Amino acid sequence: MAIEKTLILIKPDAAKRKITGLIIDRLENSGFELVGAKLVRVTKELAEKHYEALKDQPFFENLIKYIMGELHGIANNKILALVYKGENVISEMRKIVGSTNPEQADPTTIRGAFGRITTKGQFENVIHASGNKEDAEREIKLWFKDDEIIE
Ligand code: DAT
Ligand code: MG
């Protein structure tokens, strides 16, 4: 069993709706160790790098606006970024987070409980969690400096 780290982002819809605490409560109840936490100003460059694998998708442009907080009027494009560590933390956090489509997500998951699809078709799924080991390593490097991870 591998000790891994995973990147979590509390997305702007969650910040706007003041459910950051509820979400962190669920993450913390997993028992995994928090090893990184900070507010990040999301530049267009950071957003596009984070979602680079999706650049050809029709929803890409709105996805960038979403993660930058521009769909929700978040001042200074800020977002809360967290890193959790532990055995199989990547897949275990994905279970807690739930499916990408919030309407298909199990209602006991974070996305199932708090996510929605707007009438314009925007997925508002309240949280990001790295999908696999490669993504997690790339994403943590993108969002955090080495000395901001405390372990
Ligand atoms: P996940 O966030 O579950 O890892 P992903 O990496 O495939 O999902 O996509 C990243 C984000 O892009 C996702 O959280 C919401 C958005 N997205 C994905 N598929 C979508 C779709 N079919 N329509 C609208 N937004 C979508
Ligand atoms: Mg993903």
Side-chain angles (χ1 to χ4, degrees):
M1 292 289 175
I3 302 295
E4 304 169 334
K5 291 194 279 287
T6 194
L7 178 77
I8 301 285
L9 303 173
I10 309 297
K11 290 183 175 178
D13 50 327
K16 186 81 181 181
R17 287 149 73 189
K18 307 289 184 197
I19 56 170
T20 299
L22 286 177
I23 292 173
I24 290 178
D25 186 55
R26 288 175 176 234
L27 299 175
E28 193 167 40
N29 282 339
S30 70
F32 286 110
E33 183 189 0
L34 183 64
V35 294
K38 64 173 178 174
L39 279 177
V40 180
R41 200 187 293 263
V42 184
T43 62
K44 192 153 195 247
E45 188 189 3
L46 173 58
E48 288 181 349
K49 274 191 191 154
H50 178 74
Y51 282 129
E52 68 185 8
L54 298 172
K55 65 176 185 299
D56 296 329
Q57 296 298 321
F59 54 82
F60 183 70
E61 207 175 311
N62 281 333
L63 181 59
I64 298 307
K65 287 186 188 154
Y66 172 33
I67 203 71
M68 290 181 72
E70 297 195 340
L71 298 183
H72 295 88
I74 304 290
N76 300 309
N77 308 105
K78 67 186 172 189
I79 207 174
L80 181 62
L82 308 168
V83 177
Y84 279 90
K85 178 179 176 178
E87 205 168 280
N88 296 321
V89 69
I90 299 168
S91 61
E92 290 302 316
M93 282 300 195
R94 290 287 294 199
K95 283 185 208 160
I96 295 167
V97 163
S99 303
T100 304
N101 180 331
E103 283 183 0
Q104 287 168 3
D106 186 287
T108 64
T109 63
I110 293 171
R111 286 170 167 173
F114 303 120
R116 65 167 187 165
I117 303 178
T118 68
T119 51
K120 288 179 182 159
Q122 179 68 34
F123 282 24
E124 292 189 348
N125 58 10
V126 304
I127 186 169
H128 168 82
S130 304
N132 56 57
K133 201 165 165 44
E134 267 181 15
D135 282 354
E137 284 170 5
R138 189 183 70 84
E139 291 170 3
I140 291 167
K141 269 203 201 108
L142 192 57
W143 290 80
F144 283 83
K145 295 179 189 138
D146 283 352
D147 68 359
E148 292 172 333
I149 305 293
I150 302 173
E151 52 183 328

